[in-house]
Amino acid sequence: TFRRTIPTYEQRLNEYVEEKQSIGQRAAEHIHDGETIILDASSTNHYVLPFLAKKQDLTIITNSLYISKELMTIAEINPSMTVVCSGGTLFMRSYSFIGMLAEQALSQFYVDKALIGLRGISLQHGLTSPFPEEIPVKRQMIKCARQVFILADHTKFNLTFASLIAPLDIVHTLITDARVTPEVARQMSAAIPHVDIAPLIEGSGIENVESKK
């Protein structure tokens, strides 16, 4: 399905909150003390932050204005955390920094993991976005990461937007929520090495499933 209409950042931040919280918690379980990670400006990454607060000696790089402000609060409580903001040109649709300065800043790093959110993921078209302005920055994040984690709630599957971020074969781990259909989970497991289905935090009775090639 091709999509064009896009909610605002505030709307995206407040949609499917329970699912995004479960994805955020599971994503944080993959992050270990002492690692260097990238968080892009996706709304789902906002829900990873509370679960990173007690980890030690993390370096977190982001191009998100919202996330960098929230990390400032966390770092005041946890001084072992280092926060790096890419800088660049502010893109108001997602409150993210983009452009040449952001890309150059990100190119100076090699990180353990990049956590990337998106609006569309499909077997045929890979990872896509409605915002071509953001594509070069997301591609640079992917390029400098040892492992790429895609965070996508169940509503993002089988959707295609105009701008290609990357094919599925760059993905190390896909983290989604327990409302994903079994068919979609099976399809993604055939294309991605690790598919991690996060149970809903408030108790869905659905156990985590990890599928490997």
Side-chain angles (χ1 to χ4, degrees):
T1 304
F2 284 85
R3 295 288 301 275
R4 292 186 179 182
T5 58
I6 309 302
T8 65
Y9 183 85
E10 289 82 2
Q11 289 172 329
R12 286 183 281 132
L13 199 61
N14 291 298
E15 65 183 6
Y16 305 107
V17 170
E18 189 178 6
E19 291 88 343
K20 290 178 179 179
Q21 286 175 334
S22 69
I23 292 169
Q25 183 179 51
R26 183 50 57 89
E29 292 173 5
H30 290 273
I31 307 304
H32 307 296
D33 292 350
E35 289 190 325
T36 298
I37 65 171
I38 284 177
L39 302 178
D40 78 348
S42 62
S43 61
T44 306
N45 267 332
H46 165 88
Y47 293 97
V48 180
L49 302 182
F51 303 104
L52 298 178
K54 294 184 179 180
K55 295 186 183 291
Q56 296 299 305
D57 300 312
L58 285 186
T59 297
I60 302 177
I61 304 163
T62 186
N63 71 321
S64 167
L65 179 62
Y66 268 30
I67 288 175
S68 61
K69 289 171 66 177
E70 293 186 44
L71 286 172
M72 181 175 67
T73 301
I74 295 173
E76 287 177 345
I77 300 169
N78 181 356
S80 77
M81 180 179 290
T82 300
V83 179
V84 179
C85 185
S86 69
T89 302
L90 184 60
F91 181 51
M92 292 302 295
R93 289 296 297 270
S94 60
Y95 301 111
S96 63
F97 292 106
I98 61 170
M100 180 183 67
L101 291 177
E103 293 164 46
Q104 287 182 345
L106 291 166
S107 73
Q108 302 306 305
F109 294 95
Y110 184 69
V111 305
D112 296 291
K113 289 152 187 165
L115 277 58
I116 307 292
L118 40 73
R119 296 298 297 175
I121 177 170
S122 73
L123 287 177
Q124 183 177 2
H125 300 109
L127 314 175
T128 58
S129 168
F131 302 135
E133 299 91 341
E134 291 186 321
I135 300 301
V137 166
K138 285 185 183 283
R139 287 179 177 172
Q140 183 59 54
M141 290 176 170
I142 290 167
K143 184 177 179 180
C144 68
R146 183 170 59 86
Q147 296 176 345
V148 175
F149 285 68
I150 296 299
L151 313 186
D153 69 67
H154 67 280
T155 67
K156 307 297 173 54
F157 295 99
N158 298 320
L159 295 181
T160 298
F161 291 90
S163 299
L164 174 67
I165 300 170
L168 289 182
D169 62 13
I170 61 92
V171 182
H172 175 275
T173 299
L174 167 67
I175 305 178
T176 189
D177 65 87
R179 293 197 170 101
V180 68
T181 67
E183 176 63 15
V184 167
R186 184 192 64 77
Q187 291 174 348
M188 290 295 138
S189 296
I192 295 171
H194 305 275
V195 175
D196 199 347
I197 301 175
L200 298 180
I201 291 175
E202 294 184 2
S204 63
I206 301 175
E207 298 299 324
N208 170 64
V209 175
E210 185 182 68
S211 301
K212 299 184 177 181
K213 284 182 179 177

